[in-house]
Amino acid sequence: LDIHSELGKGTCLTIKVPLTLAILPTLMIALGTRTFALPLSNVNEIFELTSRKTNMIDGQLTVMVRDKAVPIFYLSKWLLKAGDKPKYGEGKGQVIIVSLANKMVGLVTDHVVGQEEVVIKPLGAMLQGLPGLAGSTITGDGGIALILDVQSLLKARARKGY
């Protein structure tokens, strides 16, 4: 913002905005009281999770999707602090099936808020380089949401054995 003013002549306001903004279609999700954005390009489908739909295969919780066992992971275990509680317990919530290359994975969240196009903001110096985070955004209601990088999040958690 540039303001140029001359007495008796008037004031000129110049607003400079970037020519391109990175706008990303996302699926906004809620975990406890926190909101996250998941790139819509990774999302295949969403459904309600019930205990009877899950199975344990080789120590991994899975859900059957079109006759395929898809591993599922609770995002609240990865993204919430120990003091933050997910809205629902194990066996409840909504499953978001995401595809990465040729694999499908289910991510369990408390609630799907809806679809929203967001402007990507870079992460601050303290958060840069954290696996699983692609940036941040300001939501339609004025809150802040972290944008998830599903591929790096899964890769980081696989190394830790989750």
Side-chain angles (χ1 to χ4, degrees):
L1 178 64
D2 185 34
I3 302 173
H4 180 72
S5 184
E6 286 187 40
L7 188 61
K9 288 190 173 183
T11 301
C12 178
L13 297 173
T14 306
I15 300 173
K16 295 178 185 175
V17 294
L19 291 176
T20 58
L21 292 173
I23 296 176
L24 180 69
T26 63
L27 184 68
M28 303 302 283
I29 60 173
L31 294 171
T33 60
R34 307 207 186 280
T35 304
F36 294 90
L38 193 64
L40 209 49
S41 60
N42 297 113
V43 176
N44 279 3
E45 65 183 280
I46 304 164
F47 57 86
E48 290 290 326
L49 178 66
T50 60
S51 298
R52 63 186 183 330
K53 288 186 180 178
T54 61
N55 299 308
M56 191 67 76
I57 299 176
D58 292 332
Q60 172 63 56
L61 192 61
T62 62
V63 66
M64 295 302 289
V65 178
R66 284 184 286 293
D67 298 327
K68 283 188 177 182
V70 176
I72 61 172
F73 302 96
Y74 282 83
L75 286 174
S76 58
K77 291 180 180 178
W78 294 352
L79 299 172
L80 295 182
K81 296 184 303 185
D84 292 340
K85 298 267 191 236
K87 188 174 179 182
Y88 303 111
E90 297 258 339
K92 294 189 179 176
Q94 293 180 306
V95 179
I96 302 166
I97 300 294
V98 296
S99 58
L100 303 164
N102 295 333
K103 294 184 179 181
M104 288 195 318
V105 174
L107 303 174
V108 182
T109 184
D110 288 344
H111 176 66
V112 172
V113 177
Q115 199 173 327
E116 195 171 315
E117 288 189 351
V118 300
V119 176
I120 302 172
K121 305 276 187 192
L123 293 170
M126 291 182 69
L127 294 176
Q128 272 185 345
L130 277 177
L133 300 180
S136 62
T137 189
I138 298 174
T139 62
D141 63 0
I144 295 174
L146 293 173
I147 301 170
L148 301 179
D149 177 354
V150 178
Q151 188 168 5
S152 72
L153 180 65
L154 289 173
K155 207 179 279 185
R157 293 301 168 177
R159 278 184 288 220
K160 290 186 176 185
Y162 291 101

